[in-house]
């Protein structure tokens, strides 16, 4: 008899006599006292073209449940969730992203679940039907009468056999010409009551206190990792890794309530760049190898776009305006935030941030505290008129009421994008006028005094170009001309970044191609104190920075410590074998030298026997002269390991090291070329990278890790 024949099968709904005897045997426990089910809130995400219900953290679920109970009396409520990055509209049962554009997600208050046919995950029933199931369950428990049958809105049947056995059947098939019968219903689905009875990982939640804000800028293309995920999804992973690293390495500071968490927010510029240019590219793209050509148009061309003066201006405007917009929105939603801001860029995103930071105007801390940056962006009253005056000047007075209704002032007008104007109901023509005005106003505010000989200097000056710190310290002139950057009006940020982190960065290569042979050791970014260049050893896009500052000295980049406090085992084994081979080589040479010297010494007595007194004196002098040579092999036999001398890499990172290399994994060391692409996209889930960020960020606050890594 086969295994399948031995296993009992679930009876169909039509076999009532057999089913009753089968389920009577299952029922063995007495009726329990009824207790209301504890709800948990879920939201729906589309993953790989399939719906997936993800639980809110316990902290967010409790907030939603409290708001749900109070909303019965006070109408619709908006509850911030996911650390304030999303808002849940309870009445609509929708979750909306706050800082970026994202499709709205359905939200459910879940109590009853069933397991899908092709999925091991449990799926929550709709709230109305869950309430029907709960009412039926309460009657069954109270009266101790089971085998209750209910029909779902999709005409599927749920049977409550007992508290531990509840099943969900497909609709009963009817006999037709093809011979289908009611017994061919497939296996029933498992039904569970309460989230505690299903296997699902529910996070506890994030600390409410935010210590630092980090903006993350992506590189080329819309996808940021090997799984073709968006920048939002990759930054979510980065944030989750940071929360686990805080628990593992900053436990003492957390227990003393000295720290909360670091917030990472993505900055997307790709969608804005490709909004209009994709249509133009489509007309000139060849039809052959369609997928490859579209991949190139969507990714590789971003590098060429950035080297174009037209699209470079679009990119830097988008990145700066997005970071300023998100920063103001973040302060509005977190009025108690007193922490600093840092920047992180991946691939081309790091180059964009580097060019943006090198072209910031020198500002003091007092200017930032007084909000000078915000006024520079929005303009002074003399620079920008009121919104009404602007609309009158543009012959768009009929839209004044729209801006007044949305409470758009001068500062908000300077931050408006095409999408926001479109959401306000402004037609295309007026939108173009307003956006052109905003762009021209920014240009007049941020443009530097023209350099008459700029075009002449580009030819000869680039050969000896350096990033000169004296310019920034004296007159705050920007080095875009001498570094060969594409000429653009670089916007100003509303804050002074604490640290700039570059992941897999081509900054060194681009500077070299632009004609920069050396970076002045005294140069530093105008308004940013720290700069870390982090890369994987097999990353084909990453380049070093330190050799451009110290070109005459060869030295290795700093090896990034493993997050568990030691080197990876295969690296330690490799170093051990290297030391062993060196020791064997030194010992072998030492033994040969000692044997040769002992052989030469045996002939000395014979020579001395046939020699005169003067000759004896000469032989003693020769022997004395050979003594230092005899001592050298003994010194080689016990070599003393010397620590490498510290290298002065200039002030770009405040006098500290800049280049940091990750430790490759054991499997990656077998074939460098095979893991090259993965090496460029590995930073989002790298514990070592995240730990370095947290270490440097919290050091600016005077907080150290529990146990410093070597």
């Amino acid at each position: 008899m086969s295994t399948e024949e031995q296993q009992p099968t679930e009876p169909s709904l039509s076999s009532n006599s057999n089913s009753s005897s089968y389920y009577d045997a299952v029922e063995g426990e007495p009726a329990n006292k009824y207790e209301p089910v504890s709800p948990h809130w879920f939201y729906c995400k589309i993953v790989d073209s399939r719906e997936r219900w993800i639980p809110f953290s316990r902290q967010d679920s409790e907030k939603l449940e409290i708001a749900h109970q109070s909303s019965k009396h006070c109408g619709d409520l908006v509850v911030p969730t996911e650390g304030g990055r999303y808002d849940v509209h309870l009445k609509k049962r929708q979750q909306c992203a706050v800082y970026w554009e994202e499709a709205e997600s359905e939200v459910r208050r879940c109590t009853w679940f069933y397991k899908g046919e092709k999925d091991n995950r449990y799926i929550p029933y709709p709230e109305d039907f869950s309430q029907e199931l709960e009412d039926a369950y309460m009657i069954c428990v109270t009266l101790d009468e089971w085998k209750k049958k209910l029909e779902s809105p999709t005409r599927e049947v749920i049977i409550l056999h007992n508290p531990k056995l509840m099943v969900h059947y497909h609709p009963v098939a009817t006999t037709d010409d093809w011979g289908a019968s009611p017994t061919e219903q497939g296996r029933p689905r498992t039904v569970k009551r309460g989230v505690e009875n299903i296997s699902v990982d529910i996070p506890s939640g994030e600390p409410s206190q935010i210590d630092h804000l980090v903006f993350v800028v992506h590189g080329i293309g819309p996808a940021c990792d090997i799984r073709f995920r968006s920048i939002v999804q990759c930054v979510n992973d980065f944030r989750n890794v940071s929360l686990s690293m805080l628990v593992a390495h900053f436990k003492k500071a957390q227990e003393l309530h000295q720290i909360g968490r670091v917030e990472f927010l993505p900055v997307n510029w790709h969608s804005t760049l490709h909004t209009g240019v994709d249509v133009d590219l489509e007309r000139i793209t060849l039809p052959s190898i369609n997928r490859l050509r579209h991949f190139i148009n969507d990714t590789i061309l971003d590098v060429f776009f950035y080297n174009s003066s037209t699209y470079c201006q679009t990119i830097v405007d988008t990145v700066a305006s997005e970071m300023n917009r998100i920063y103001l929105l973040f302060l509005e939603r977190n009025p108690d935030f007193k922490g600093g801001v840092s920047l992180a860029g991946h691939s081309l995103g790091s180059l964009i941030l580097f060019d943006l930071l090198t072209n910031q105007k020198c500002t003091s801390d007092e200017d930032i505290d007084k909000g000078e940056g915000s006024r520079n962006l929005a303009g002074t009253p003399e620079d920008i008129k009121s919104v009404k005056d602007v609309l009158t000047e543009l012959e768009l007075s009929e839209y004044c009421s729209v801006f007044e209704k949305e409470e758009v002032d001068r500062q908000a007008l300077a931050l408006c994008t095409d999408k926001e104007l479109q959401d306000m109901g402004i037609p295309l023509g007026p939108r173009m006028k307003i956006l052109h005005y905003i762009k021209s106003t920014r240009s007049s505010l941020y443009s530097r005094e023209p350099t008459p000989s700029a075009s002449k200097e580009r030819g000869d000056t680039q050969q000896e170009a350096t990033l000169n710190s004296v310019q920034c310290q004296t007159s705050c002139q920007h080095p875009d001309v001498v570094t060969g950057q594409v000429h653009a009006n670089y916007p100003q940020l509303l804050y002074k970044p604490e640290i700039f982190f570059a992941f897999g960065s081509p900054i060194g290569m681009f500077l070299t191609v632009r004609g920069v042979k050396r970076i002045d050791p005294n140069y530093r970014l105008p308004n940013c104190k720290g700069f870390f260049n982090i890369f994987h050893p097999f990353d084909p896009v990453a380049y070093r920075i330190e050799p451009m500052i110290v070109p005459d000295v060869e030295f290795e980049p700093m090896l990034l410590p493993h997050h568990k406090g030691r080197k990876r085992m295969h690296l330690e084994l490799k170093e051990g074998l290297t030391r062993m081979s060196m020791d064997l080589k030194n010992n072998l040479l030492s033994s040969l030298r000692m044997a040769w010297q002992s052989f030469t010494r045996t002939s000395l007595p014979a020579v001395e026997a046939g020699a005169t007194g003067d000759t004896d004196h000469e032989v003693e002098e020769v022997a004395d002269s050979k003594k230092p040579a005899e001592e050298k092999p003994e010194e080689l036999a016990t070599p003393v390991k010397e620590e490498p001398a510290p290298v002065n890499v200039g002030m770009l990172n405040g006098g500290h090291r800049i280049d940091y290399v990750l430790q490759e994994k054991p499997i990656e060391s077998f074939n460098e070329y095979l893991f090259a692409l993965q090496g460029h996209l590995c930073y989002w889930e790298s514990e070592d990278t995240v730990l370095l960020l947290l270490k440097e960020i919290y050091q600016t606050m005077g907080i150290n890790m529990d146990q410093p890594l070597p």
Side-chain angles (χ1 to χ4, degrees):
M1 183 178 293
S2 63
T3 306
E4 295 181 357
E5 293 176 352
Q6 293 177 355
Q7 294 177 350
T9 57
E10 299 285 355
S12 63
L13 292 177
S14 58
S15 55
N16 295 330
S17 58
N18 294 333
S19 63
S20 60
S21 60
Y22 172 78
Y23 290 117
D24 287 340
V26 177
E27 298 176 8
E29 295 186 1
N32 297 323
K33 182 180 179 181
Y34 172 76
E35 293 182 1
V37 64
S38 298
H40 195 92
W41 290 75
F42 282 66
Y43 63 94
C44 182
K45 285 286 187 181
I46 304 299
V47 181
D48 297 331
S49 302
R50 297 181 62 184
E51 289 187 354
R52 178 168 295 180
W53 287 91
I54 303 173
F56 284 99
S57 66
R58 299 189 186 278
Q59 179 182 0
D60 287 342
S61 183
E62 291 177 1
K63 289 165 54 179
L64 290 169
E65 183 62 22
I66 294 173
H68 170 71
Q69 298 298 334
S70 61
S71 65
K72 296 178 180 179
H73 309 287
C74 61
D76 188 22
L77 289 178
V78 178
V79 180
T81 57
E82 302 288 330
R85 298 179 295 275
Y86 291 88
D87 281 341
V88 172
H89 299 263
L90 283 178
K91 188 175 182 180
K92 299 178 182 179
R93 290 294 195 266
Q94 289 181 343
Q95 179 177 244
C96 307
V98 174
Y99 299 107
W100 56 83
E101 294 184 6
E102 184 178 310
E104 297 176 344
S105 303
E106 182 184 353
V107 175
R108 281 184 188 175
R109 180 177 181 263
C110 304
T111 53
W112 285 76
F113 307 84
Y114 69 92
K115 183 179 289 187
E117 291 181 349
K118 300 180 181 180
D119 197 351
N120 292 327
R121 297 173 177 267
Y122 279 90
I123 302 174
Y125 284 106
E127 294 186 36
D128 294 340
F129 189 69
S130 294
Q131 187 60 47
E132 293 182 20
L133 288 171
E134 183 65 19
D135 294 339
Y137 180 85
M138 179 181 64
I139 295 174
C140 292
V141 171
T142 304
L143 302 179
D144 195 17
E145 295 179 358
W146 294 94
K147 298 182 179 62
K148 180 72 173 177
K149 182 187 299 185
L150 294 91
E151 186 173 330
S152 71
T154 56
R155 301 186 62 81
E156 299 181 1
V157 177
I158 294 90
I159 301 179
L160 309 181
H161 292 288
N162 61 56
K164 293 187 176 181
L165 183 58
M166 295 171 283
V167 291
H168 178 161
Y169 289 98
H170 286 287
V172 178
T174 57
T175 304
D176 53 23
D177 295 338
W178 296 96
S181 62
T183 58
E184 297 173 353
Q185 300 173 36
R187 300 188 61 181
R189 300 174 178 178
T190 305
V191 178
K192 295 292 183 181
R193 175 180 179 265
V195 70
E196 63 276 1
N197 292 320
I198 64 175
S199 56
V200 60
D201 185 18
I202 302 177
S204 57
E206 304 176 14
S208 57
Q209 176 185 339
I210 300 177
D211 306 317
H212 202 87
L213 177 62
V214 179
F215 291 116
V216 185
V217 180
H218 65 85
I220 61 173
C224 298
D225 71 345
I226 201 71
R227 288 174 282 176
F228 297 98
R229 297 185 303 167
S230 66
I231 180 64
V232 173
Q233 294 171 307
C234 291
V235 172
N236 286 342
D237 276 352
F238 203 82
R239 187 186 304 108
N240 292 333
V241 174
S242 73
L243 293 174
S244 63
M245 289 295 101
L246 286 175
V247 174
H249 295 276
F250 292 86
K251 186 175 181 180
K252 183 178 179 180
Q254 282 189 331
E255 292 176 348
L256 296 176
H257 301 287
Q258 295 177 338
I259 64 173
R261 63 182 175 91
V262 177
E263 180 61 281
F264 297 90
L265 296 179
V267 178
N268 185 2
W269 55 267
H270 181 269
S271 57
T272 303
L273 174 66
H274 286 258
T275 299
V277 73
D278 283 352
V279 179
D280 299 330
L281 287 173
E282 185 68 26
R283 290 197 295 264
I284 61 176
T285 302
L286 299 180
S288 59
I289 52 175
N290 186 47
R291 292 185 179 180
L292 179 58
R293 294 188 190 277
H294 279 282
F295 174 78
I296 293 175
N297 289 350
D298 222 18
T299 56
I300 307 300
L301 287 188
D302 287 349
V303 179
F304 298 97
F305 285 144
Y306 189 65
N307 286 325
S308 164
S309 59
T310 301
Y311 293 107
C312 177
Q313 185 68 60
T314 302
I315 293 174
V316 295
D317 282 347
T318 302
V319 172
S321 62
E322 272 294 285
M323 290 194 296
N324 286 334
R325 179 189 67 83
I326 297 174
Y327 178 70
L328 293 176
L329 182 57
F330 179 83
L331 293 182
E332 179 183 343
R333 295 175 62 89
N334 300 273
D336 298 331
F337 176 73
K338 303 297 181 183
V341 182
S342 292
L343 306 179
H346 176 241
S347 189
L348 182 63
S350 64
L351 177 66
I352 298 171
L353 289 177
F354 181 80
D355 289 343
L356 196 62
L357 290 175
T358 56
N359 288 276
Q360 294 297 294
K361 297 178 180 178
C362 295
T363 56
S364 62
D365 294 333
E366 295 180 358
D367 293 338
I368 296 297
D369 295 338
K370 294 178 181 178
E372 291 293 333
S374 176
R375 286 198 291 271
N376 285 337
L377 179 71
T380 58
E382 292 77 17
D383 295 328
I384 297 182
K385 305 173 183 179
S386 66
V387 175
K388 184 176 181 180
D389 294 337
V390 171
L391 295 176
T392 303
E393 181 180 344
L394 298 176
E395 299 180 352
L396 301 174
S397 303
E398 62 270 21
Y399 298 104
C400 289
S401 59
V402 178
F403 286 87
E404 292 176 358
K405 180 181 178 181
E406 298 293 338
E407 299 181 358
V408 177
D409 55 7
R410 294 194 311 271
Q411 184 175 347
L413 179 64
L415 297 174
C416 280
T417 63
D418 181 71
K419 178 65 169 57
E420 292 164 348
L421 293 175
Q422 186 176 358
D423 292 341
M424 293 168 59
I426 307 298
L428 177 61
R431 287 206 311 270
M432 293 298 99
K433 289 184 178 181
I434 296 173
L435 291 174
H436 178 74
Y437 177 84
I438 294 174
K439 184 177 180 179
S440 61
T441 305
R442 286 175 177 171
S443 301
S444 63
L445 286 173
Y446 303 147
S447 59
R448 298 172 296 279
E449 294 183 1
T451 306
S453 58
S455 58
K456 298 180 181 179
E457 291 177 359
R458 287 181 183 269
D460 301 331
T461 308
Q462 288 180 3
Q463 300 300 324
E464 301 296 333
T466 58
L467 293 175
N468 193 348
S469 63
V470 178
Q471 293 178 336
C472 180
Q473 295 173 356
T474 56
S475 60
C476 285
Q477 296 176 353
H478 303 287
D480 58 335
V481 175
V482 296
T483 58
Q485 294 177 7
V486 178
H487 182 69
N489 297 314
Y490 289 90
Q492 303 299 297
L493 301 177
L494 301 180
Y495 45 82
K496 290 177 61 176
E498 296 282 346
I499 310 174
F500 168 40
F501 299 96
F503 307 146
S505 173
I507 293 176
M509 181 269 290
F510 270 86
L511 291 180
T512 302
V513 171
R514 290 170 177 175
V516 179
K517 292 186 176 181
R518 185 170 182 265
I519 299 176
D520 194 315
N522 294 322
Y523 176 76
R524 64 179 66 189
L525 297 174
N527 291 330
C528 186
K529 301 176 183 178
F531 176 30
F532 289 86
N533 183 37
I534 306 168
F535 53 89
H536 190 279
F538 304 154
D539 188 342
V541 181
Y543 290 82
R544 293 190 61 185
I545 297 293
E546 292 173 340
M548 299 189 68
I549 304 174
V550 191
D552 300 329
V553 182
E554 292 186 4
F555 56 98
E556 297 293 326
M558 290 289 291
L559 186 65
L560 208 61
H562 193 267
H563 65 280
K564 293 185 178 179
R566 56 172 292 172
K567 289 184 180 179
R568 294 185 183 272
M569 185 174 297
H570 70 286
L571 295 179
E572 291 184 346
L573 180 61
K574 183 188 295 185
E575 290 186 358
L577 292 175
T578 304
R579 287 195 299 267
M580 185 183 301
S581 62
M582 291 298 297
D583 292 342
L584 289 174
K585 180 180 178 182
N586 291 334
N587 290 335
L588 180 60
L589 291 175
S590 176
S591 300
L592 290 175
R593 288 172 181 171
M594 292 180 66
W596 173 255
Q597 290 170 357
S598 62
F599 172 76
T600 55
R601 280 197 297 269
T602 56
S603 62
L604 289 178
V607 176
E608 292 173 356
T612 59
D614 294 337
T615 306
D616 293 342
H617 181 69
E618 293 175 0
V619 170
E620 289 179 359
E621 291 180 354
V622 172
D624 291 339
S625 65
K626 289 184 178 182
K627 285 183 180 180
E630 295 174 0
E631 295 175 356
K632 288 182 180 180
E634 297 178 0
E635 295 176 359
L636 292 174
T638 57
V640 179
K641 184 179 179 181
E642 296 182 359
E643 294 293 334
V647 181
N648 182 10
V649 293
M651 299 304 296
L652 190 57
N653 190 27
H656 302 290
R657 293 294 301 270
I658 300 172
D659 293 337
Y660 283 80
V661 59
L662 291 167
Q663 302 180 34
E664 72 271 16
K665 297 178 181 179
I667 191 174
E668 295 173 344
S669 60
F670 288 108
N671 192 320
E672 299 179 0
Y673 295 94
L674 184 62
F675 293 94
L677 178 60
Q678 183 174 337
H680 183 59
L681 305 173
C682 70
Y683 306 99
W684 307 114
E685 298 177 355
S686 170
E687 294 93 343
D688 301 345
T689 302
V690 173
L691 189 57
L692 176 65
L693 264 70
L694 296 177
K695 171 178 171 289
E696 297 300 329
I697 286 174
Y698 278 111
Q699 275 188 352
T700 62
M701 303 167 54
I703 298 174
N704 298 318
M705 295 190 300
D706 296 338
Q707 293 181 353
L709 298 178

